[in-house]
Amino acid sequence: EAGNAYLALARAYLMHGQDAEALVTLQRGETLLQKAGDIVGRMTALQETGTFLAALGQRAKALEMLEAVRRYAEEPQALRIMRFRLAGVAFGYVNLREYQIAADIGQKLIDDFPRRAPIAAYWILSSAYFNLKHYAQAIDVATQGINRSDDPQSVPRLLAYRWRARSLDRLGRFDEAARDILEASRMEAAVREKLMPDDESKRAFGESLEHFADDAIAILWRAGRQVEALTVAEQSRGRAFLDLLASRNMVGDSAPNTTTSKLASGAFVSPPNADQLAVLASQTGEAILAYWVHTEATYIWIITPRGKVHWARTAVAEKHIQGLVDRAREFSYKSDRRAWGELHRLLIQPVQQWLPKADGALISVLPHSSLLQLPFAALLDQTGRYVVERYTLRIAYSSGFLMQKQSERNEGGPIFLIGAPTNMALGLSGKPLPPLPGARKELEAVAALSRGKNLLLTAGSAIEDRIQKDAGPARAIHFSTHAVMDKANPFESFLALSDRGKLTAAEVYDLRLNADLVFLSACRSGSGQVTSDGLLGLTRAFLYAGAATVIAPLWDIPDGATVRLVEEFYRQYQKGTGKGRALRVAQLKVLQDLRAGRVVAETPAGPMPLPEHPALWAGFVLQGAE
């Protein structure tokens, strides 16, 4: 019983994408079943472990386990008992790209048990036939599975629709393929509502079905249904974050359980469709620029301030886009202008004709995949102008976040200024974090601009307690310190405080803020683990905690240029300029100073003017209310 209980727990972990927990639990279950002499139970454990290892690409070990189950199932007395396990074995072979073996197993199951074959066998066999390019057979088998399924909202039925749609698409039957993939999208939304009500499970589910969204967008595009493809993209983008934000009020004053990243997320929110986004754009006067980076191509939609939807497709795959982003982000004395220019050509130029013409017009960008790491402000057009020289930008991981009504601006509270830490905690490498000579100058500059309405916290062991206790009413919270981003454990990412203090992402989720602005002047604090839900790090935590806007850098930021940028931002902000426009003005000011040679670095050879490099001004991005 204990062994089978472990297997049941492992299935729950797998359903919610918690791979590491699933593998350990499967192995424990298999050990207990072997000790108990339960051969069928052990074969079940071997099949599930082998299928899982196949998905992880551990070929040799996976084959060993799958072959053991297959040999046992061939015994006459075992086939009937093992038919459900054999469907899983076939799936394992699909993951190992042994499609013919998978097809042989799946077809035997359906032939031998025409009325009692596992429902999953049909979509697994359909996927094997698809990969063997036997599209007509894939369609036939998927149709059998759809007709046999008793649950109209089951995952096997959803996957049968997916493989039928892909096969129809390959045969050029685009309208039928679009019909099927839209039905699968509707079912996927229903399946989401059955998930465990916590953020981690919802994020993992989104990761597991991201390839489904890839398929749906490509199929709908080929069918000439680009607006519906946009709706599917928004159904898949940042869904867990949207639910989490809606769940925040349900949590109330009780602290969420962030010790294991199990944030309560009981809400299930329907994301906006393309028509609703068009209404939003026309109401707010902003343009909305949405991307989806596919293994085959990059898809772009632009919704104009008049609510018109336009689109473009560039035949550039995810791998190439990632390479360009990596090149653009490289730190050297001289910027890779070719990479920034090529990114503009691929991402902006295809929809340039529909972008606003007014100087400084607001564009809300919905990035995807590797584009989450890209500051769009630095994209360079063919005339040598950066995007920031034309537009005001904000970033959103979810279109639903754009739809949320922002609370009224908090005008009365103080500005919390936190940073210039001493005796800092160690970084992930175990080495001490380096000093920040410009941090105090930056904080003092902001304090001087805030007309006395500020609270400066730079030293003392009680800083963390003060943040937890007093940050709630603050109008703005400004950190000038180190950020340590732990991509393997995002909830352990932290902002360094004095006396070895840390403010971790988990602790930020516990805060209850009413801040109009959180400004993180801390290296890479706007970055994080790339997921289907956006970048998982500090920015997400502060938005959940109640910040209307978070400004943070995607990469390392230099002291001298950053002090100039921060000071100009707050000068504009205190005048009542919108935060997005204030950030643009500040970035343009630093850019102007760089071009004039006014930003100088001290070197052993003497003062040296710094170059016009995006690393010095473009890294800060704004999320939230403009």
Side-chain angles (χ1 to χ4, degrees):
E1 289 186 7
N4 287 318
Y6 272 112
L7 297 191
L9 179 58
R11 292 180 197 118
Y13 282 136
L14 285 170
M15 178 182 177
H16 292 88
Q18 296 166 244
D19 293 351
E21 295 90 342
L23 182 58
V24 170
T25 308
L26 282 169
Q27 291 169 338
R28 287 176 179 170
E30 192 266 331
T31 300
L32 289 171
L33 290 162
Q34 184 178 22
K35 287 181 179 179
D38 184 344
I39 183 64
V40 173
R42 180 169 181 256
M43 289 297 129
T44 297
L46 286 176
Q47 175 267 304
E48 294 188 11
T49 307
T51 302
F52 179 62
L53 292 174
L56 296 179
Q58 298 185 29
R59 186 179 182 84
K61 191 67 175 176
L63 280 172
E64 178 185 336
M65 294 182 174
L66 294 174
E67 282 298 315
V69 180
R70 192 180 177 196
R71 285 195 302 270
Y72 176 73
E74 287 174 351
E75 298 178 15
Q77 74 278 10
L79 179 59
R80 188 176 301 276
I81 299 171
M82 293 299 295
R83 67 183 187 275
F84 289 96
R85 299 298 112 208
L86 276 177
V89 170
F91 183 50
Y93 280 109
V94 167
N95 283 328
L96 293 170
R97 300 187 179 182
E98 296 286 355
Y99 302 122
Q100 190 58 60
I101 298 175
D104 292 343
I105 295 171
Q107 194 62 62
K108 179 176 175 57
L109 273 173
I110 291 171
D111 291 344
D112 288 356
F113 303 98
R115 293 173 182 248
R116 289 180 292 170
I119 296 298
Y122 292 91
W123 76 260
I124 293 168
L125 178 56
S126 182
S127 72
Y129 280 144
F130 173 87
N131 284 288
L132 290 168
K133 300 183 180 180
H134 299 165
Y135 302 124
Q137 289 171 281
I139 292 167
D140 180 59
V141 172
T143 302
Q144 292 179 51
I146 291 166
N147 292 338
R148 269 212 55 203
S149 177
D150 294 328
D151 184 353
Q153 296 178 350
S154 68
V155 172
R157 184 180 173 91
L158 181 158
L159 293 171
Y161 269 108
R162 177 197 179 194
W163 289 104
R164 190 169 77 173
R166 294 193 74 184
S167 301
L168 289 164
D169 178 66
R170 289 299 174 90
L171 292 177
R173 295 161 64 177
F174 300 128
D175 288 340
E176 295 170 84
R179 177 203 64 202
D180 272 6
I181 208 69
L182 286 172
E183 177 61 18
S185 296
R186 185 194 63 77
M187 293 171 59
E188 184 260 353
V191 171
R192 282 183 184 271
E193 296 191 13
K194 300 178 183 179
L195 296 175
M196 294 172 63
D198 68 81
D199 180 54
E200 185 178 32
S201 298
K202 291 182 177 183
R203 283 190 284 107
F205 181 76
E207 289 290 297
S208 69
L209 283 188
E210 191 163 24
H211 289 305
F212 167 79
D214 286 347
D215 293 343
I217 291 166
I219 288 169
L220 290 167
W221 204 279
R222 281 189 284 271
R225 301 169 75 162
Q226 287 85 354
V227 174
E228 288 168 294
L230 173 58
T231 293
V232 169
E234 300 318 307
Q235 287 175 342
S236 305
R237 185 198 315 275
R239 284 298 308 280
F241 185 42
L242 190 57
D243 285 351
L244 184 65
L245 291 174
S247 302
R248 180 175 54 200
N249 294 332
M250 298 168 60
V251 173
D253 294 330
S254 61
N257 176 15
T258 53
T259 55
T260 58
S261 70
K262 295 285 189 183
L263 283 163
S265 183
F268 290 89
V269 179
S270 296
N273 58 34
D275 291 339
Q276 290 169 315
L277 284 177
V279 170
L280 173 68
S282 63
Q283 289 175 341
T284 61
E286 66 187 299
I288 299 173
L289 188 55
Y291 293 90
W292 194 273
V293 183
H294 191 279
T295 53
E296 300 173 358
T298 299
Y299 300 92
I300 312 171
W301 298 266
I302 174 72
I303 304 176
T304 72
R306 293 186 176 182
K308 300 293 184 182
V309 183
H310 303 278
W311 52 83
R313 176 186 182 275
T314 58
V316 178
E318 183 176 20
K319 186 175 180 181
H320 184 66
I321 293 289
Q322 179 69 69
L324 286 172
V325 172
D326 290 343
R327 275 178 51 195
R329 286 171 54 92
E330 283 180 1
F331 284 88
S332 60
Y333 183 77
K334 198 169 183 180
S335 169
D336 189 340
R337 292 175 70 87
R338 287 188 179 182
W340 289 111
E342 182 68 1
L343 285 165
H344 187 281
R345 187 183 72 81
L346 296 173
L347 301 176
I348 302 295
Q349 203 167 312
V351 293
Q352 182 79 58
Q353 61 182 308
W354 300 298
L355 290 176
K357 301 299 187 284
D359 180 63
L362 176 63
I363 298 178
S364 292
V365 181
L366 302 171
H368 175 247
S369 186
S370 54
L371 300 184
L372 291 162
Q373 301 171 305
L374 181 70
F376 279 75
L379 300 189
L380 195 64
D381 71 15
Q382 59 270 35
T383 70
R385 294 183 71 188
Y386 295 104
V387 165
V388 73
E389 295 182 85
R390 296 183 183 271
Y391 304 112
T392 299
L393 301 174
R394 67 166 169 164
I395 305 297
Y397 296 158
S398 164
S399 60
F401 186 70
L402 299 179
M403 300 287 291
Q404 290 197 343
K405 183 179 179 181
Q406 299 295 334
S407 59
E408 293 184 6
R409 181 167 171 169
N410 178 3
E411 297 281 4
I415 294 180
F416 260 42
L417 303 169
I418 305 159
T422 56
N423 189 27
M424 285 182 280
L426 303 179
L428 294 180
S429 66
K431 297 179 180 179
L433 296 170
L436 293 168
R440 180 168 288 278
K441 181 180 179 182
E442 178 181 307
L443 292 172
E444 289 172 349
V446 178
L449 289 165
S450 61
R451 306 184 186 107
K453 292 184 177 181
N454 61 71
L455 177 62
L456 184 63
L457 300 175
T458 59
S461 59
I463 292 178
E464 187 176 347
D465 292 340
R466 293 292 303 274
I467 294 169
Q468 297 277 359
K469 180 181 177 183
D470 298 330
R475 170 192 175 191
I477 305 173
H478 184 94
F479 287 89
S480 183
T481 182
H482 279 294
V484 176
M485 305 306 296
D486 188 340
K487 293 185 179 180
N489 300 289
F491 276 66
E492 295 304 312
S493 297
F494 66 88
L495 295 166
L497 307 175
S498 290
D499 299 325
R500 299 292 175 94
K502 299 178 181 180
L503 182 66
T504 67
E507 290 170 325
V508 173
Y509 278 105
D510 283 339
L511 296 175
R512 288 296 175 265
L513 304 177
N514 188 35
D516 179 57
L517 170 69
V518 170
F519 197 118
L520 303 179
S521 182
C523 292
R524 299 179 184 267
S525 54
S527 66
Q529 183 187 98
V530 176
T531 72
S532 64
D533 214 50
L535 293 175
L536 197 60
L538 290 164
T539 297
R540 189 178 193 265
F542 275 107
L543 288 170
Y544 173 82
T549 306
V550 178
I551 296 175
L554 292 171
W555 53 42
D556 292 337
I557 50 175
D559 262 3
T562 299
V563 171
R564 289 170 180 257
L565 186 147
V566 167
E567 187 172 3
E568 184 60 34
F569 171 83
Y570 277 97
R571 183 175 290 113
Q572 298 296 323
Y573 179 62
Q574 293 289 53
K575 292 194 303 186
T577 305
K579 290 161 286 189
R581 289 172 174 80
L583 178 60
R584 176 177 182 252
V585 169
Q587 289 177 323
L588 290 175
K589 174 68 165 58
V590 175
L591 187 55
Q592 183 182 37
D593 287 348
L594 288 167
R595 286 170 172 167
R598 290 192 288 267
V599 184
V600 177
E602 296 296 330
T603 72
M608 179 177 292
L610 293 175
E612 178 194 317
H613 198 306
L616 302 174
W617 58 269
F620 284 96
V621 297
L622 180 149
Q623 286 196 64
E626 197 281 328

